[in-house]
Amino acid sequence: MEKFKIEEHNHSLQKEHQRRFEFIASEVSNTEAIIQNLMNFQVAIPSWALGTGGTRFGRFPGGGEPRNLEEKIEDIGMLHVLNNSSGAISLHIPWDIPENASHIKALAAQHGLKFDAMNSNTFQDQPGQELSYKYGSLQNVNKAVRKQAIDHNIEVIKYGIELGSESLTVWLSDGSCFPGQLNFRKAFQNMLESLEEIYAALPNDWKMFLEYKAFEPNFYSTTVGDWGQSFNFVNKLGPKAFTLVDLGHHLPNANIEQIVSLLLMEGKLGGFHFNDSKYGDDDLTVGSIKPYQLFLIFNELVEGMDAKGMNHANGIGWMIDASHNVKDPLEDLLQSVEAIMITYAQALLVDRTKLQEAQNNNDVVTAQEILQQAFRTDTRALVAEARLRSGAALNPLTIFRNEKVREGLIKQRGLKTFATGL
Ligand code: RM4
Ligand code: MN
Ligand code: MN
């Protein structure tokens, strides 16, 4: 997207924006600090979210999907031009093997993108793969399968080093579908030993994120099934290992805000996957179903990071992990990033001194008032102002549609393209 188009777009919305911004600026005391925080905050986009997601029943591609890693980088670069908040890409190996790392690194740099966490994949068998992961990977009862899965993770680290990434995310589908299938303790031990070998291959300045998930594709037990299990593993592994929270990976009604608070307290929250869900790992647009829950989680993230003196922008690896069947994936990502920024801004509005006072007085009513005061504040003009100041678009979604970006991509790439991913 050319700069002048963004300028034109901003110009056409400027008057209305100014009115809204002045109003919120007069309501909020720390406007400038909030805008600075918003300008710094970056959320990584996963390379598998750029195509239409499928379900086990079907997939309905929308056209113009990126055909290779270069085009995925271009798509994310475009998002970043529009919102200045998606300045990183997260790769899944082997869906996106960087054949020519220096070329890929240079292309990403041209678009102002960094390489966020590298994701390994031992939940699928790949063509030509010697041993199958049907009964698990890092926990498999067969040592040779475990070794193959360990080697794959080490290979992913190598790709990441070439690209300048600094973290590895391990998500495993390992577990069991039926009672009796696994000995839980042996599965745990095998998993731990395998993770230790991967951990030993991490460069000094790297982090390893261990993502938990309650169920699916295994439906009886998951070997890294909840935050307690992940926490147990990462504690045993050492200081470079952290838990990763994916919002969709809990059992219904779990108190995710309490989980992130305690993980932060222990210094073990390393990675974060944003999405939303109604039932399970639905991978829906961030903030589309339970915006208040998202706010409560962000509130604990901000509170917990501040308590530890962590940098909001890079203290945790932020990523969107969403993909579904019905929306244009790029529009969906713009909506997700917007929801994240709006909610982050709301969390920054919470009057922490007053909240603490209310807590100390057991003033439950005031505590609720303070949180909801922030949640009910319309922070959209603050987010737009942060974009305006960094040269991005006042309304990314509107300009995306007005400039017919998807139509252009379909012309260029074709209607029947297929992006790698789930
Ligand atoms: C999993 C999990 C991982 C993601 C894969 C594609 O459910 O969320 O983070 O890499 O899906
Ligand atoms: Mn995830
Ligand atoms: Mn998931």
Side-chain angles (χ1 to χ4, degrees):
M1 178 93 49
E2 297 95 326
K3 270 267 161 262
F4 78 91
K5 289 197 172 147
I6 295 185
E7 278 163 18
E8 260 173 35
H9 159 88
N10 286 349
H11 189 71
S12 71
L13 298 179
Q14 176 69 34
K15 227 171 127 203
E16 170 68 7
H17 166 68
Q18 202 53 36
R19 195 179 53 78
R20 286 156 45 99
F21 175 63
E22 273 162 23
F23 173 73
I24 177 88
S26 71
E27 293 269 292
V28 168
S29 57
N30 49 345
T31 316
E32 285 305 311
I34 292 177
I35 291 173
Q36 203 48 57
N37 274 309
L38 292 172
M39 287 169 74
N40 294 342
F41 202 82
Q42 299 296 321
V43 189
I45 307 293
S47 59
W48 62 95
L50 301 160
T52 311
T55 70
R56 62 203 168 102
F57 299 106
R59 186 173 182 274
F60 306 93
E65 292 186 5
R67 293 164 293 185
N68 48 46
L69 182 50
E70 282 85 346
E71 290 183 351
K72 290 181 174 187
I73 290 173
E74 281 161 21
D75 277 6
I76 298 176
M78 193 268 303
L79 296 177
H80 191 47
V81 165
L82 295 186
N83 63 22
N84 193 50
S85 307
S86 31
I89 174 168
S90 189
L91 297 188
H92 223 295
I93 304 293
W95 293 339
D96 296 289
I97 293 186
E99 302 291 356
N100 180 343
S102 60
H103 159 72
I104 290 295
K105 203 174 164 186
L107 182 68
Q110 257 172 40
H111 289 278
L113 306 179
K114 292 196 176 128
F115 284 91
D116 201 72
M118 300 293 292
N119 300 266
S120 58
N121 179 342
T122 59
F123 50 88
Q124 291 173 323
D125 285 347
Q126 304 302 330
Q129 182 181 309
E130 205 187 319
L131 301 164
S132 171
Y133 296 132
K134 180 170 179 180
Y135 299 107
S137 58
L138 294 182
Q139 65 150 42
N140 200 293
V141 289
N142 180 347
K143 193 169 184 341
V145 178
R146 300 203 295 275
K147 166 105 177 48
Q148 179 181 284
I150 293 165
D151 290 346
H152 165 71
N153 275 277
I154 294 174
E155 198 192 336
V156 173
I157 296 174
K158 290 203 178 112
Y159 283 124
I161 294 171
E162 289 178 11
L163 294 172
S165 166
E166 288 169 348
S167 48
L168 170 74
T169 292
V170 181
W171 172 69
L172 301 150
S173 70
D174 290 42
S176 66
C177 262
F178 295 97
Q181 187 184 333
L182 277 183
N183 175 302
F184 297 134
R185 269 183 292 112
K186 280 189 188 150
F188 183 94
Q189 288 304 336
N190 284 338
M191 177 75 79
L192 180 61
E193 277 172 30
S194 302
L195 289 171
E196 277 166 351
E197 285 197 42
I198 299 166
Y199 187 88
L202 279 181
N204 280 337
D205 53 348
W206 270 53
K207 292 177 180 171
M208 177 170 159
F209 303 144
L210 185 60
E211 181 173 3
Y212 59 88
K213 178 165 173 169
F215 65 92
E216 195 208 15
N218 273 298
F219 291 101
Y220 174 62
S221 75
T222 302
T223 303
V224 191
D226 62 19
W227 77 279
Q229 292 168 46
S230 170
F231 184 63
N232 198 10
F233 282 117
V234 298
N235 261 338
K236 287 180 196 290
L237 287 170
K240 291 187 283 183
F242 299 85
T243 293
L244 184 149
V245 172
D246 180 312
L247 293 180
H249 287 194
H250 305 85
L251 292 174
N253 302 326
N255 189 330
I256 304 173
E257 52 270 32
Q258 187 177 17
I259 295 172
V260 304
S261 166
L262 297 183
L263 281 172
L264 275 169
M265 179 182 77
E266 297 294 340
K268 281 296 191 187
L269 181 60
F272 205 89
H273 286 180
F274 290 103
N275 49 49
D276 210 344
S277 66
K278 178 82 179 153
Y279 302 104
D281 190 20
D282 306 345
D283 280 340
L284 298 176
T285 317
V286 183
S288 61
I289 310 271
K290 290 175 271 188
Y292 190 49
Q293 174 180 274
L294 182 65
F295 164 76
L296 295 175
I297 293 166
F298 246 118
N299 176 48
E300 294 303 336
L301 287 168
V302 166
E303 201 267 346
M305 284 189 288
D306 287 351
K308 289 265 174 187
M310 286 165 75
N311 181 325
H312 296 182
N314 58 26
I316 289 178
W318 309 107
M319 191 186 90
I320 290 173
D321 189 4
S323 121
H324 52 79
N325 236 335
V326 293
K327 286 181 184 165
D328 177 318
L330 292 174
E331 293 191 349
D332 175 63
L333 287 163
L334 289 174
Q335 285 187 312
S336 281
V337 172
E338 182 75 6
I340 291 168
M341 301 308 279
I342 288 171
T343 316
Y344 175 40
Q346 289 170 330
L348 292 170
L349 287 180
V350 173
D351 189 331
R352 309 231 164 252
T353 319
K354 282 217 180 103
L355 182 61
Q356 215 179 75
E357 207 179 286
Q359 288 168 346
N360 290 340
N361 294 328
N362 290 316
D363 186 349
V364 186
V365 169
T366 302
Q368 178 187 324
E369 288 297 311
I370 290 164
L371 289 187
Q372 293 192 340
Q373 165 65 28
F375 176 66
R376 288 172 177 154
T377 304
D378 184 353
T379 58
R380 288 177 296 177
L382 288 174
V383 175
E385 178 69 15
R387 274 198 297 269
L388 185 67
R389 291 194 194 177
S390 36
L394 275 174
N395 191 328
L397 204 52
T398 303
I399 188 170
F400 181 91
R401 288 212 168 174
N402 287 350
E403 293 301 323
K404 302 198 181 321
V405 176
R406 178 55 67 187
E407 288 86 333
L409 292 174
I410 292 177
K411 251 189 226 147
Q412 186 195 326
R413 299 171 181 171
L415 199 56
K416 294 234 172 325
T417 56
F418 190 83
T420 48
L422 274 182

